[in-house]
Amino acid sequence: MQSWSARPVPELPGQAAPPAVFDSRTRQVEQLPQQERASLYVCGITPYDATHLGHASTYVAFDLLHRAWLDAGMPVDYVQNVTDVDDPLLERADRDGVDWRDLAREQTDLFREDMTALNVIPPQHYLGATETLEWIVPAVEGLLAQGLAYRVQGEDGEPDGDVYFDVRAVAEAGDSIIPVLQPKVQGDEDGAPGPWSLGQISGLTRDEMLEVFGERGGDPERPGKRDIFDPLLWRVHREGEPFWEGGELGEGRPGWHIECSLISLKLLPAPFTVQGGGSDLVFPHHEMGAGHSWALSGRPMARNFVHTGMVGLDGHKMSKSLGNLELVSRLRERGVEPAAVRLAILSQHYREDWSWSQDVLTRAEARLTRWRMAADVAVEGSFADALDSVRDALADDLDSPRAIEAIDVWAEGVLVGGQRGSGDDLARQAIEARLGVVL
Protein backbone atom coordinates (compact mmCIF):
# COMPACT_ATOMS: atom_id res chain seq x y z
CA MET A 1 0.00 0.00 0.00
CA GLN A 2 1.37 3.41 -0.96
CA SER A 3 1.88 6.16 1.59
CA TRP A 4 1.28 9.84 0.78
CA SER A 5 3.41 12.71 -0.50
CA ALA A 6 5.25 15.17 1.73
CA ARG A 7 7.00 18.52 1.67
CA PRO A 8 10.73 18.36 2.46
CA VAL A 9 11.45 19.29 6.08
CA PRO A 10 13.60 22.47 6.18
CA GLU A 11 17.03 22.16 7.76
CA LEU A 12 17.70 24.52 10.66
CA PRO A 13 20.89 25.93 12.16
CA GLY A 14 22.06 24.16 15.30
CA GLN A 15 20.49 21.05 16.76
CA ALA A 16 17.76 20.35 19.29
CA ALA A 17 17.96 18.02 22.26
CA PRO A 18 16.13 14.68 21.99
CA PRO A 19 12.58 15.08 23.28
CA ALA A 20 11.08 13.74 26.47
CA VAL A 21 7.53 12.31 26.33
CA PHE A 22 4.94 10.98 28.74
CA ASP A 23 5.04 7.19 28.84
CA SER A 24 1.66 5.60 29.54
CA ARG A 25 3.34 2.48 30.95
CA THR A 26 5.51 4.25 33.55
CA ARG A 27 3.03 7.13 33.93
CA GLN A 28 5.76 9.73 33.92
CA VAL A 29 7.70 11.87 31.47
CA GLU A 30 10.62 9.85 30.08
CA GLN A 31 13.66 11.16 28.26
CA LEU A 32 13.95 9.48 24.88
CA PRO A 33 17.49 8.27 24.12
CA GLN A 34 19.89 9.65 21.56
CA GLN A 35 19.98 6.90 18.92
CA GLU A 36 21.53 6.38 15.54
CA ARG A 37 17.97 5.98 14.27
CA ALA A 38 14.70 6.43 16.13
CA SER A 39 11.84 4.03 15.41
CA LEU A 40 8.13 4.83 15.53
CA TYR A 41 4.99 2.76 15.04
CA VAL A 42 1.67 4.60 15.06
CA CYS A 43 -1.49 2.54 14.75
CA GLY A 44 -3.43 3.49 11.65
CA ILE A 45 -7.10 3.85 10.86
CA THR A 46 -9.83 1.33 10.28
CA PRO A 47 -10.90 2.95 7.01
CA TYR A 48 -14.35 4.37 7.54
CA ASP A 49 -15.29 7.88 8.77
CA ALA A 50 -11.83 9.16 7.81
CA THR A 51 -10.34 11.55 8.67
CA HIS A 52 -12.11 12.81 11.80
CA LEU A 53 -10.36 15.29 14.08
CA GLY A 54 -9.52 12.59 16.61
CA HIS A 55 -7.51 10.88 13.87
CA ALA A 56 -5.97 14.17 12.78
CA SER A 57 -4.98 15.14 16.32
CA THR A 58 -3.17 11.84 16.84
CA TYR A 59 -1.22 11.87 13.57
CA VAL A 60 -0.28 15.55 13.94
CA ALA A 61 0.98 14.81 17.47
CA PHE A 62 3.26 12.01 16.31
CA ASP A 63 4.35 14.14 13.38
CA LEU A 64 5.48 16.64 16.02
CA LEU A 65 7.55 13.88 17.62
CA HIS A 66 8.94 12.87 14.21
CA ARG A 67 10.04 16.47 13.58
CA ALA A 68 11.57 16.71 17.06
CA TRP A 69 13.73 13.66 16.35
CA LEU A 70 14.81 15.06 12.99
CA ASP A 71 15.83 18.36 14.57
CA ALA A 72 17.84 16.35 17.12
CA GLY A 73 19.80 14.78 14.27
CA MET A 74 18.04 11.41 14.30
CA PRO A 75 16.52 9.87 11.17
CA VAL A 76 13.25 8.08 11.91
CA ASP A 77 12.07 4.66 10.78
CA TYR A 78 8.31 5.19 10.77
CA VAL A 79 5.71 2.47 10.21
CA GLN A 80 1.92 2.66 10.14
CA ASN A 81 -0.78 0.11 9.39
CA VAL A 82 -4.30 0.21 7.97
CA THR A 83 -6.82 -2.20 9.48
CA ASP A 84 -8.43 -2.82 6.12
CA VAL A 85 -10.53 -5.77 7.26
CA ASP A 86 -12.30 -5.83 10.63
CA ASP A 87 -15.80 -6.05 12.05
CA PRO A 88 -16.49 -2.27 12.22
CA LEU A 89 -15.51 -1.83 8.56
CA LEU A 90 -17.67 -4.76 7.47
CA GLU A 91 -20.61 -3.49 9.54
CA ARG A 92 -20.36 -0.01 8.00
CA ALA A 93 -20.13 -1.42 4.48
CA ASP A 94 -23.20 -3.60 5.13
CA ARG A 95 -25.10 -0.63 6.57
CA ASP A 96 -24.32 1.54 3.53
CA GLY A 97 -24.85 -1.25 1.00
CA VAL A 98 -21.35 -1.03 -0.48
CA ASP A 99 -18.55 -3.52 -1.01
CA TRP A 100 -16.22 -3.45 2.00
CA ARG A 101 -13.17 -3.34 -0.27
CA ASP A 102 -14.48 -0.27 -2.08
CA LEU A 103 -15.21 1.45 1.24
CA ALA A 104 -11.72 0.65 2.54
CA ARG A 105 -10.03 1.97 -0.63
CA GLU A 106 -12.13 5.12 -0.72
CA GLN A 107 -11.56 5.98 2.92
CA THR A 108 -7.84 5.16 2.81
CA ASP A 109 -7.45 7.45 -0.22
CA LEU A 110 -9.28 10.20 1.65
CA PHE A 111 -7.05 9.72 4.68
CA ARG A 112 -3.94 10.06 2.54
CA GLU A 113 -5.27 13.26 0.98
CA ASP A 114 -5.96 14.69 4.44
CA MET A 115 -2.50 13.75 5.73
CA THR A 116 -0.90 15.44 2.73
CA ALA A 117 -3.00 18.56 3.31
CA LEU A 118 -2.04 18.63 7.01
CA ASN A 119 1.67 18.31 6.10
CA VAL A 120 2.16 15.09 8.07
CA ILE A 121 5.43 13.34 7.23
CA PRO A 122 4.48 9.95 5.75
CA PRO A 123 5.67 6.60 7.09
CA GLN A 124 8.24 4.72 5.05
CA HIS A 125 6.11 1.60 5.40
CA TYR A 126 2.31 1.81 5.15
CA LEU A 127 0.68 -1.62 5.20
CA GLY A 128 -2.84 -2.98 5.24
CA ALA A 129 -3.69 -5.98 7.38
CA THR A 130 -4.68 -7.85 4.23
CA GLU A 131 -1.11 -7.38 2.92
CA THR A 132 0.44 -9.13 5.93
CA LEU A 133 -1.34 -12.49 5.96
CA GLU A 134 1.82 -14.28 4.81
CA TRP A 135 3.39 -13.14 8.10
CA ILE A 136 0.34 -13.56 10.34
CA VAL A 137 -0.65 -17.13 9.42
CA PRO A 138 2.67 -18.85 10.27
CA ALA A 139 3.03 -16.72 13.40
CA VAL A 140 -0.36 -17.85 14.73
CA GLU A 141 0.44 -21.43 13.76
CA GLY A 142 3.64 -21.13 15.79
CA LEU A 143 1.80 -19.78 18.83
CA LEU A 144 -0.59 -22.75 18.64
CA ALA A 145 2.30 -25.19 18.39
CA GLN A 146 3.92 -23.73 21.52
CA GLY A 147 0.73 -23.77 23.58
CA LEU A 148 0.52 -19.98 23.68
CA ALA A 149 -2.72 -20.00 21.71
CA TYR A 150 -5.66 -22.39 21.48
CA ARG A 151 -8.75 -23.19 19.44
CA VAL A 152 -12.27 -22.58 20.70
CA GLN A 153 -15.19 -24.86 19.99
CA GLY A 154 -18.15 -23.12 18.39
CA GLU A 155 -21.53 -22.83 20.11
CA ASP A 156 -24.98 -21.60 19.05
CA GLY A 157 -24.32 -22.15 15.36
CA GLU A 158 -20.78 -20.72 15.41
CA PRO A 159 -18.10 -22.79 13.67
CA ASP A 160 -15.28 -24.53 15.52
CA GLY A 161 -11.70 -23.36 15.29
CA ASP A 162 -11.40 -19.68 16.21
CA VAL A 163 -7.89 -19.19 17.60
CA TYR A 164 -7.30 -17.18 20.78
CA PHE A 165 -4.15 -15.89 22.45
CA ASP A 166 -3.59 -17.38 25.91
CA VAL A 167 -2.71 -14.42 28.15
CA ARG A 168 -2.09 -16.59 31.22
CA ALA A 169 0.19 -19.02 29.40
CA VAL A 170 2.33 -16.21 28.00
CA ALA A 171 2.58 -14.45 31.36
CA GLU A 172 3.53 -17.70 33.12
CA ALA A 173 6.16 -18.51 30.49
CA GLY A 174 7.99 -15.24 31.23
CA ASP A 175 11.67 -15.38 30.23
CA SER A 176 11.34 -19.00 29.09
CA ILE A 177 9.54 -17.91 25.90
CA ILE A 178 11.03 -19.57 22.82
CA PRO A 179 10.65 -17.08 19.99
CA VAL A 180 8.22 -18.13 17.28
CA LEU A 181 10.03 -15.81 14.86
CA GLN A 182 13.52 -17.05 14.05
CA PRO A 183 16.16 -15.79 14.30
CA LYS A 184 15.50 -13.88 17.51
CA VAL A 185 14.82 -10.22 16.70
CA GLN A 186 17.56 -7.85 17.82
CA GLY A 187 17.10 -4.42 19.39
CA ASP A 188 18.02 -2.09 22.23
CA GLU A 189 16.29 -3.15 25.45
CA ASP A 190 17.59 -0.30 27.64
CA GLY A 191 14.57 1.14 29.43
CA ALA A 192 12.14 -1.34 27.88
CA PRO A 193 9.77 -3.49 29.96
CA GLY A 194 10.69 -7.09 30.71
CA PRO A 195 8.54 -10.22 30.26
CA TRP A 196 4.97 -9.30 29.41
CA SER A 197 2.03 -9.79 31.73
CA LEU A 198 -1.55 -8.58 31.48
CA GLY A 199 -1.80 -5.00 32.74
CA GLN A 200 1.89 -4.23 32.19
CA ILE A 201 1.20 -1.49 29.62
CA SER A 202 -2.13 -0.07 30.78
CA GLY A 203 -1.70 -0.41 34.54
CA LEU A 204 -5.40 -1.30 34.75
CA THR A 205 -6.90 -3.79 37.17
CA ARG A 206 -8.96 -6.65 35.77
CA ASP A 207 -12.15 -4.86 36.86
CA GLU A 208 -11.04 -1.70 35.06
CA MET A 209 -10.15 -3.72 31.96
CA LEU A 210 -13.58 -5.33 31.93
CA GLU A 211 -15.27 -1.92 31.83
CA VAL A 212 -13.81 -1.16 28.40
CA PHE A 213 -12.86 -4.52 26.89
CA GLY A 214 -16.15 -5.14 25.10
CA GLU A 215 -16.54 -1.65 23.69
CA ARG A 216 -12.96 -1.64 22.36
CA GLY A 217 -13.06 -4.74 20.22
CA GLY A 218 -12.97 -7.51 22.85
CA ASP A 219 -15.47 -10.34 23.23
CA PRO A 220 -15.71 -10.98 27.00
CA GLU A 221 -18.83 -13.13 26.67
CA ARG A 222 -17.41 -15.59 24.13
CA PRO A 223 -17.89 -19.13 25.52
CA GLY A 224 -14.90 -21.45 25.66
CA LYS A 225 -12.17 -18.90 26.29
CA ARG A 226 -9.64 -19.77 28.99
CA ASP A 227 -9.48 -16.18 30.21
CA ILE A 228 -12.10 -13.53 29.62
CA PHE A 229 -9.41 -11.21 28.20
CA ASP A 230 -7.89 -13.65 25.72
CA PRO A 231 -7.93 -11.82 22.36
CA LEU A 232 -8.83 -13.28 18.99
CA LEU A 233 -5.92 -14.21 16.70
CA TRP A 234 -7.75 -15.92 13.82
CA ARG A 235 -11.47 -15.92 13.03
CA VAL A 236 -12.48 -18.93 10.95
CA HIS A 237 -14.66 -18.35 7.93
CA ARG A 238 -18.35 -17.52 8.37
CA GLU A 239 -20.77 -17.40 5.48
CA GLY A 240 -20.88 -13.96 3.91
CA GLU A 241 -17.59 -12.76 5.45
CA PRO A 242 -14.30 -12.21 3.61
CA PHE A 243 -11.72 -14.91 4.16
CA TRP A 244 -8.22 -15.99 3.19
CA GLU A 245 -6.39 -19.28 3.12
CA GLY A 246 -4.90 -19.85 6.56
CA GLY A 247 -2.86 -23.01 6.22
CA GLU A 248 -3.31 -25.14 9.34
CA LEU A 249 -5.65 -22.45 10.71
CA GLY A 250 -8.19 -23.01 7.96
CA GLU A 251 -9.93 -20.33 5.93
CA GLY A 252 -10.59 -17.11 7.83
CA ARG A 253 -9.19 -13.69 8.69
CA PRO A 254 -6.89 -12.26 11.37
CA GLY A 255 -7.86 -10.68 14.65
CA TRP A 256 -7.13 -7.02 15.26
CA HIS A 257 -4.03 -6.87 17.48
CA ILE A 258 -1.84 -9.41 15.72
CA GLU A 259 -1.39 -7.29 12.57
CA CYS A 260 0.47 -4.50 14.41
CA SER A 261 2.70 -6.97 16.24
CA LEU A 262 3.78 -8.70 13.03
CA ILE A 263 4.24 -5.50 11.03
CA SER A 264 6.41 -3.92 13.72
CA LEU A 265 8.45 -7.08 14.30
CA LYS A 266 9.14 -7.44 10.59
CA LEU A 267 10.02 -3.80 9.91
CA LEU A 268 11.40 -2.29 13.14
CA PRO A 269 13.92 -3.31 15.82
CA ALA A 270 12.60 -4.99 18.95
CA PRO A 271 12.01 -3.08 21.06
CA PHE A 272 11.38 -0.07 18.82
CA THR A 273 11.51 3.40 20.35
CA VAL A 274 7.88 4.56 20.55
CA GLN A 275 4.51 2.85 20.11
CA GLY A 276 1.93 5.55 19.50
CA GLY A 277 -1.81 5.99 19.20
CA GLY A 278 -4.87 7.46 20.84
CA SER A 279 -5.47 6.88 24.54
CA ASP A 280 -8.34 4.52 23.70
CA LEU A 281 -5.73 2.09 22.30
CA VAL A 282 -3.79 1.63 25.55
CA PHE A 283 -6.11 -1.24 26.42
CA PRO A 284 -6.72 -3.66 24.88
CA HIS A 285 -4.91 -2.93 21.60
CA HIS A 286 -1.45 -1.94 22.80
CA GLU A 287 -1.66 -4.20 25.82
CA MET A 288 -2.39 -7.23 23.65
CA GLY A 289 -0.01 -6.15 20.90
CA ALA A 290 2.79 -6.08 23.47
CA GLY A 291 1.80 -9.58 24.62
CA HIS A 292 1.79 -10.91 21.06
CA SER A 293 5.19 -9.36 20.37
CA TRP A 294 6.71 -10.88 23.50
CA ALA A 295 5.30 -14.32 22.66
CA LEU A 296 6.59 -14.10 19.09
CA SER A 297 10.06 -12.66 19.73
CA GLY A 298 10.92 -13.02 23.40
CA ARG A 299 11.56 -9.28 23.49
CA PRO A 300 9.53 -6.23 24.54
CA MET A 301 7.47 -4.62 21.79
CA ALA A 302 8.46 -1.01 22.43
CA ARG A 303 10.64 0.99 24.76
CA ASN A 304 7.99 3.68 25.29
CA PHE A 305 4.21 3.81 24.88
CA VAL A 306 2.87 7.29 24.08
CA HIS A 307 -0.78 8.23 23.68
CA THR A 308 -2.83 11.23 22.65
CA GLY A 309 -5.93 12.61 24.34
CA MET A 310 -9.47 12.29 23.06
CA VAL A 311 -11.09 15.06 21.00
CA GLY A 312 -14.66 16.20 21.55
CA LEU A 313 -16.88 18.50 19.51
CA ASP A 314 -18.36 21.66 21.02
CA GLY A 315 -18.00 20.26 24.53
CA HIS A 316 -19.46 16.82 23.76
CA LYS A 317 -17.84 13.46 23.16
CA MET A 318 -17.08 13.00 19.47
CA SER A 319 -17.59 9.45 18.29
CA LYS A 320 -18.61 7.35 15.32
CA SER A 321 -21.50 5.85 17.28
CA LEU A 322 -22.94 9.28 18.12
CA GLY A 323 -22.52 10.48 14.55
CA ASN A 324 -21.08 13.85 15.58
CA LEU A 325 -17.74 13.67 13.81
CA GLU A 326 -15.99 16.68 12.33
CA LEU A 327 -13.97 15.55 9.32
CA VAL A 328 -10.86 17.19 7.93
CA SER A 329 -12.18 16.68 4.40
CA ARG A 330 -15.39 18.57 5.23
CA LEU A 331 -13.40 21.44 6.69
CA ARG A 332 -11.33 21.55 3.52
CA GLU A 333 -14.47 21.49 1.39
CA ARG A 334 -15.72 24.52 3.33
CA GLY A 335 -12.54 26.38 2.41
CA VAL A 336 -10.75 26.05 5.73
CA GLU A 337 -6.98 26.15 5.23
CA PRO A 338 -5.33 22.91 6.43
CA ALA A 339 -2.50 24.92 8.05
CA ALA A 340 -5.10 26.54 10.30
CA VAL A 341 -6.55 23.12 11.21
CA ARG A 342 -3.08 21.89 12.08
CA LEU A 343 -2.32 24.99 14.15
CA ALA A 344 -5.64 24.61 15.99
CA ILE A 345 -4.69 21.04 16.89
CA LEU A 346 -1.23 22.12 18.06
CA SER A 347 -2.73 24.77 20.32
CA GLN A 348 -3.74 21.85 22.58
CA HIS A 349 -1.24 19.65 24.42
CA TYR A 350 -1.10 16.27 22.71
CA ARG A 351 -2.00 14.15 25.74
CA GLU A 352 -4.85 16.27 27.07
CA ASP A 353 -8.50 15.66 26.21
CA TRP A 354 -9.96 18.69 24.44
CA SER A 355 -12.89 19.83 22.35
CA TRP A 356 -12.91 21.15 18.80
CA SER A 357 -15.05 24.24 18.21
CA GLN A 358 -15.37 27.14 15.80
CA ASP A 359 -13.70 29.37 18.40
CA VAL A 360 -10.62 27.10 18.46
CA LEU A 361 -10.43 27.28 14.67
CA THR A 362 -11.03 31.04 14.53
CA ARG A 363 -8.19 31.69 16.97
CA ALA A 364 -5.88 29.50 14.91
CA GLU A 365 -6.79 31.32 11.69
CA ALA A 366 -6.10 34.70 13.30
CA ARG A 367 -2.79 33.43 14.71
CA LEU A 368 -1.73 32.09 11.31
CA THR A 369 -2.42 35.48 9.73
CA ARG A 370 -0.34 37.30 12.41
CA TRP A 371 2.58 34.91 11.99
CA ARG A 372 2.59 35.36 8.23
CA MET A 373 2.46 39.14 8.55
CA ALA A 374 5.37 39.07 11.00
CA ALA A 375 7.46 36.73 8.86
CA ASP A 376 6.92 39.02 5.85
CA VAL A 377 8.21 42.19 7.57
CA ALA A 378 10.69 40.90 10.17
CA VAL A 379 14.43 41.38 9.98
CA GLU A 380 16.18 38.26 8.73
CA GLY A 381 17.42 36.21 11.69
CA SER A 382 15.09 37.88 14.20
CA PHE A 383 13.58 34.49 14.99
CA ALA A 384 16.79 33.04 16.46
CA ASP A 385 15.84 33.53 20.13
CA ALA A 386 12.30 32.31 19.47
CA LEU A 387 13.72 29.16 17.86
CA ASP A 388 15.63 28.38 21.06
CA SER A 389 12.39 28.77 23.03
CA VAL A 390 10.46 26.59 20.59
CA ARG A 391 13.09 23.88 20.81
CA ASP A 392 13.08 24.00 24.61
CA ALA A 393 9.28 23.73 24.70
CA LEU A 394 9.05 20.81 22.28
CA ALA A 395 11.86 18.94 24.03
CA ASP A 396 9.71 19.07 27.18
CA ASP A 397 6.96 16.55 26.45
CA LEU A 398 6.19 18.10 23.05
CA ASP A 399 4.72 21.21 24.68
CA SER A 400 3.28 22.76 21.52
CA PRO A 401 1.14 25.38 23.36
CA ARG A 402 4.32 26.78 24.96
CA ALA A 403 6.09 26.71 21.59
CA ILE A 404 3.17 28.60 20.04
CA GLU A 405 3.30 31.16 22.84
CA ALA A 406 7.00 31.79 22.09
CA ILE A 407 6.14 32.42 18.42
CA ASP A 408 3.27 34.71 19.45
CA VAL A 409 5.70 36.80 21.52
CA TRP A 410 8.09 37.06 18.58
CA ALA A 411 5.28 38.02 16.16
CA GLU A 412 3.92 40.63 18.55
CA GLY A 413 7.37 42.15 18.93
CA VAL A 414 7.75 42.38 15.16
CA LEU A 415 4.30 43.82 14.49
CA VAL A 416 4.18 46.29 17.39
CA GLY A 417 7.10 48.65 17.10
CA GLY A 418 9.73 46.11 16.08
CA GLN A 419 12.46 46.76 13.56
CA ARG A 420 11.21 46.10 10.05
CA GLY A 421 13.02 44.26 7.29
CA SER A 422 12.32 42.36 4.10
CA GLY A 423 11.17 39.17 5.85
CA ASP A 424 12.64 36.39 7.98
CA ASP A 425 13.17 33.10 6.17
CA LEU A 426 14.41 31.54 9.41
CA ALA A 427 10.97 32.09 10.95
CA ARG A 428 9.22 30.43 8.02
CA GLN A 429 11.64 27.51 7.95
CA ALA A 430 11.64 26.97 11.71
CA ILE A 431 7.87 27.09 12.08
CA GLU A 432 7.48 24.56 9.28
CA ALA A 433 10.34 22.32 10.39
CA ARG A 434 9.27 22.13 14.04
CA LEU A 435 5.47 22.60 13.95
CA GLY A 436 4.75 21.54 10.37
CA VAL A 437 2.84 24.80 9.80
CA VAL A 438 3.54 26.31 6.38
CA LEU A 439 3.65 30.09 6.31
Side-chain angles (χ1 to χ4, degrees):
M1 187 175 291
Q2 288 189 336
S3 190
W4 53 90
S5 60
R7 293 171 58 92
V9 178
E11 293 186 8
L12 302 178
Q15 186 169 293
V21 291
F22 186 86
D23 189 311
S24 300
R25 176 180 62 88
T26 64
R27 285 166 286 285
Q28 62 185 23
V29 175
E30 301 281 357
Q31 179 63 57
L32 296 179
Q34 182 76 43
Q35 298 173 291
E36 184 175 337
R37 299 187 69 88
S39 44
L40 173 66
Y41 189 101
V42 181
C43 293
I45 62 166
T46 301
Y48 66 101
D49 286 333
T51 305
H52 62 69
L53 281 168
H55 291 145
S57 181
T58 290
Y59 299 114
V60 166
F62 288 102
D63 187 62
L64 197 65
L65 173 60
H66 195 158
R67 292 169 184 275
W69 270 324
L70 293 178
D71 196 28
M74 283 185 279
V76 182
D77 295 321
Y78 178 22
V79 177
Q80 189 178 132
N81 71 304
V82 182
T83 305
D84 58 352
V85 61
D86 198 20
D87 287 344
L89 170 65
L90 301 178
E91 291 164 3
R92 179 57 57 87
D94 184 62
R95 187 201 74 178
D96 295 347
V98 298
D99 188 288
W100 66 273
R101 290 160 292 198
D102 293 337
L103 177 61
R105 281 192 293 267
E106 171 196 288
Q107 291 291 295
T108 303
D109 287 345
L110 183 57
F111 175 77
R112 285 188 284 236
E113 291 172 9
D114 289 336
M115 292 298 101
T116 300
L118 291 172
N119 198 26
V120 172
I121 300 171
Q124 290 99 332
H125 300 282
Y126 189 57
L127 292 174
T130 58
E131 297 177 294
T132 64
L133 289 161
E134 63 180 309
W135 300 341
I136 291 174
V137 169
V140 175
E141 289 174 338
L143 292 173
L144 273 170
Q146 291 198 30
L148 303 178
Y150 60 95
R151 297 181 187 271
V152 171
Q153 184 176 352
E155 295 186 10
D156 300 326
E158 292 290 307
D160 295 339
D162 287 345
V163 180
Y164 280 83
F165 185 71
D166 194 327
V167 296
R168 293 181 187 270
V170 174
E172 290 169 0
D175 279 322
S176 66
I177 286 285
I178 300 173
V180 170
L181 300 181
Q182 299 288 347
K184 190 169 183 178
V185 183
Q186 297 301 308
D188 175 12
E189 292 194 53
D190 181 35
W196 177 85
S197 61
L198 187 64
Q200 180 192 74
I201 308 304
S202 67
L204 298 177
T205 66
R206 288 181 66 89
D207 285 344
E208 290 169 333
M209 292 175 188
L210 189 57
E211 291 179 9
V212 297
F213 187 55
E215 67 187 49
R216 295 181 181 174
D219 54 356
E221 297 180 356
R222 172 67 192 266
K225 292 169 61 174
R226 295 175 183 174
D227 188 291
I228 196 171
F229 296 115
D230 288 348
L232 180 69
L233 291 171
W234 186 258
R235 178 178 170 88
V236 297
H237 180 220
R238 271 82 163 167
E239 188 66 31
E241 293 187 1
F243 65 92
W244 289 263
E245 176 55 50
E248 296 175 6
L249 308 178
E251 294 176 342
R253 58 185 169 93
W256 176 27
H257 317 300
I258 189 65
E259 66 186 88
C260 291
S261 298
L262 263 298
I263 292 171
S264 64
L265 283 168
K266 291 290 186 178
L267 299 174
L268 294 174
F272 55 89
T273 315
V274 168
Q275 166 73 77
S279 60
D280 56 338
L281 297 185
V282 180
F283 182 85
H285 187 48
H286 289 167
E287 188 82 68
M288 299 308 178
H292 296 347
S293 293
W294 177 263
L296 291 167
S297 71
R299 298 177 69 86
M301 182 182 201
R303 185 183 187 279
N304 300 95
F305 292 79
V306 181
H307 297 93
T308 57
M310 295 290 98
V311 181
L313 178 64
D314 294 324
H316 301 283
K317 179 181 178 182
M318 185 167 59
S319 71
K320 300 178 183 72
S321 60
L322 295 175
N324 65 337
L325 299 178
E326 182 63 275
L327 304 181
V328 172
S329 56
R330 290 179 188 165
L331 290 169
R332 293 196 289 122
E333 287 171 1
R334 297 203 298 265
V336 176
E337 187 178 357
V341 176
R342 181 175 178 115
L343 189 51
I345 291 169
L346 292 173
S347 69
Q348 317 297 316
H349 194 275
Y350 77 91
R351 59 184 172 93
E352 300 295 330
D353 295 343
W354 60 284
S355 186
W356 176 269
S357 68
Q358 182 59 47
D359 286 345
V360 171
L361 176 59
T362 298
R363 288 195 296 271
E365 291 173 325
R367 174 174 278 129
L368 187 59
T369 297
R370 289 196 306 274
W371 288 5
R372 285 173 171 160
M373 291 172 58
D376 285 344
V377 301
V379 174
E380 181 62 56
S382 67
F383 195 77
D385 289 342
L387 174 57
D388 289 341
S389 298
V390 168
R391 280 173 161 161
D392 289 344
L394 296 177
D396 182 13
D397 197 21
L398 305 178
D399 194 344
S400 56
R402 183 153 62 92
I404 287 171
E405 182 180 358
I407 301 171
D408 283 343
V409 170
W410 164 79
E412 187 72 10
V414 170
L415 296 174
V416 182
Q419 186 178 358
R420 298 300 179 94
S422 58
D424 191 350
D425 287 336
L426 176 62
R428 297 186 187 93
Q429 292 165 359
I431 291 170
E432 179 172 357
R434 293 312 313 263
L435 295 182
V437 175
V438 179
L439 298 188

